[in-house]
Every structure is written in C-alpha cells, then in structure tokens.
Amino acid sequence: MRTPDRICRLCGDPGMKPESRDWTGMETTVTYACPGCDNTVKFNALSQAGLMSALGLIVLAIVTFFMVESPGMWETSDFLIYGGILLACAYVPLNILLPHWRYPISPEGGKRAPVTPDDNSLHQSTSDPLRRKIIEFERHGFWRGFLTPIVFIVIVLAAATLIGMLTF
Ligand SMILES: [Zn+2]
C-alpha cells in the first residue's frame, strides 16, 4: 500500500510523513508527523469510515422503524434519544473522515512516495487470521467499506429466504 505524504494544516508543509503504524486491536492507526512543526495526526483507513457509515445507517433505520411504529406522540425525551443516536451514528464515521479532509494528500509528495515496506511486513508477521482480514480490508477505499456490511446482510437475507422456501 502506498502511504503518500500529506499537507500539514498548521504550517502548510507538503511533506507530512507516516511515522508509526499501530494496531489498536480492531484496526490500524497511522500516525503522521510534520517535519515543519511538531504537529501529529492519527489516520484510520477510509474503508473503516465506510463500514461505520453503513453500520450507522443500519442502526438508524432500525431505530427509526421502532420509534415510528411505537404508539403515541413523540415526547421531548424521544426526540433527545433519537437526536443522540443520530449524532452518534454521524460522529463515528465523520471522526475518521475528518483528518483525511483536513490533511489532503500532497500532490508532489504523492508521486515520490515509496511503497512502505512496513505495511506488508505487518501483514505477513501476524498469524491472527481476523487481523490479516482487517488489514486487507483497510487497503480498500470508502465505498468498499460501505458496501461490505450491506452485501453481507443481503446474502444473509437471501439465505434465510431460501431456507424458508425449502422448509415450507
Ligand atoms: Zn506542520
């Protein structure tokens, strides 16, 4: 995976480079450091943001369905709960996307950025199959991450329908 340079938001230096790569237990966090100032920023994979957006929408759809279905008028507490869930579902993916927007990929730095060897060694050094899967998943972009849980649900629903048709 290419890890391109990024433009520092604080001093405008186009040579922000990935300094370290940390495994949090669920995902990889890449820390960028600016050579011009002491600014450091943490980045998570775009596919994680896509995954979180899709999961947020699914949670929101389920919550909306049950709240619309429940009898009676909405009270202030209902609006507060719904607003809180709405904010949480928006916050998680936006929190991942925000540094990608605020620190854009440096145009000249992107061209001369070498392939970082640590990504492949990280991938090969781990024997945990789930971790390998997540690292592979993190190489993809936003939409691949977004579609992954949706495709999964469609397959589960299709399988459930097929089993239902076979039994009845
Ligand atoms: Zn800087």
Side-chain angles (χ1 to χ4, degrees):
M1 184 173 71
R2 276 154 51 93
T3 314
D5 292 2
R6 290 178 181 272
I7 302 165
C8 178
R9 185 184 163 81
L10 296 184
C11 69
D13 193 306
M16 269 190 112
K17 287 193 182 350
E19 199 183 49
S20 64
R21 214 173 263 276
D22 300 299
W23 177 251
T24 64
M26 277 175 69
E27 58 194 6
T28 319
T29 303
V30 180
T31 307
Y32 270 71
C34 176
C37 61
D38 285 336
N39 193 15
T40 57
V41 197
K42 287 187 189 307
F43 288 87
N44 287 328
L46 280 175
S47 54
Q48 294 278 5
L51 176 70
M52 288 304 160
S53 303
L55 292 182
L57 282 178
I58 291 163
V59 168
L60 215 56
I62 294 167
V63 169
T64 307
F65 177 77
F66 280 109
M67 288 190 81
V68 168
E69 285 291 296
S70 69
M73 287 290 289
W74 278 38
E75 288 168 29
T76 317
S77 60
D78 292 327
F79 281 106
L80 283 177
I81 292 166
Y82 192 70
I85 293 166
L86 196 73
L87 278 179
C89 290
Y91 174 80
V92 174
L94 280 179
N95 198 35
I96 301 172
L97 285 172
L98 208 59
H100 288 272
W101 287 331
R102 293 174 74 193
Y103 295 84
I105 287 167
S106 170
E108 70 258 48
K111 273 184 225 130
R112 60 179 163 80
V115 175
T116 45
D118 56 334
D119 184 62
N120 274 326
S121 59
L122 190 76
H123 181 241
Q124 265 138 31
S125 67
T126 174
S127 55
D128 182 350
L130 180 67
R131 184 170 162 178
R132 286 177 75 105
K133 275 265 172 285
I134 294 173
I135 291 169
E136 272 168 41
F137 171 73
E138 285 177 337
R139 292 178 178 181
H140 298 288
F142 180 86
W143 290 109
R144 175 72 181 260
F146 187 84
L147 288 173
T148 299
I150 292 170
V151 167
F152 178 76
I153 287 166
V154 167
I155 291 170
V156 168
L157 286 181
T161 311
L162 210 65
I163 290 164
M165 271 161 38
L166 291 176
T167 18
F168 294 107

